Amino acid sequence: MRKLFRTLAMSAAVSVLALSASMSSVYAADDKKADAAKAEAKPAEAKKEMTGKELAFDRGLGNCLACHMIAGGELPGNIGPPLIAMKARFPDKAKLKAQIADARVANPNTIMIPFGPMGILTDAELDRVVDFIHEL
């Protein structure tokens, strides 16, 4: 019985590999077309600068909403403090930028992601996020 099971498993694995190999060759031309279209679209996308709000709300970049409540944001997190009255909490924008860039400096036990040192946000993007957060 075990031998039969092994034989069936091996034949299924070989069939899957053969199928995936043939599928990739069938769609190779389509993949090349898609890659060319992406390459043409990138320069247009690269020209558009995201605003601070877009960066803060973007799930792949700032992702502030994962942990903080922000006015206008959908599905906010509750791990971090709500981002309200930020001018009163951080009158100096440089301190706010330092906090967002690397909160570990002020609090080594923080769970906030170090957006600057980890290269998640560039310096220019950090500036735009700080401008947006500071206005809340």
Side-chain angles (χ1 to χ4, degrees):
M1 188 67 164
R2 287 183 187 178
K3 189 173 184 179
L4 176 64
F5 179 71
R6 280 190 218 140
T7 305
L8 287 173
M10 288 299 286
S11 64
V14 169
S15 298
V16 169
L17 288 173
L19 183 61
S20 66
S22 67
M23 291 295 244
S24 64
S25 64
V26 170
Y27 294 109
D30 291 338
D31 290 343
K32 288 179 183 176
K33 288 179 187 176
D35 290 342
K38 286 180 187 176
E40 290 175 12
K42 280 187 180 180
E45 291 173 9
K47 291 179 184 176
K48 182 189 176 269
E49 261 188 19
M50 295 177 77
T51 66
K53 181 177 183 176
E54 290 171 337
L55 288 165
F57 286 7
D58 187 281
R59 298 284 179 188
L61 292 170
N63 202 14
C64 302
L65 285 171
C67 300
H68 301 279
M69 182 190 75
I70 302 173
E74 295 179 12
L75 301 171
N78 60 1
I79 296 169
L83 300 182
I84 55 174
M86 296 306 291
K87 281 184 184 178
R89 292 169 54 192
F90 289 93
D92 183 10
K93 272 189 174 180
K95 288 186 180 180
L96 178 59
K97 182 177 180 177
Q99 179 68 19
I100 293 171
D102 192 356
R104 299 174 301 178
V105 174
N107 178 8
N109 295 324
T110 188
I111 61 170
M112 185 164 167
I113 299 168
F115 290 97
M118 296 291 287
I120 298 167
L121 295 173
T122 65
D123 198 48
E125 291 171 335
L126 273 169
D127 288 336
R128 290 195 300 269
V129 170
V130 168
D131 289 340
F132 168 67
I133 298 295
H134 196 254
E135 294 299 317
L136 296 174

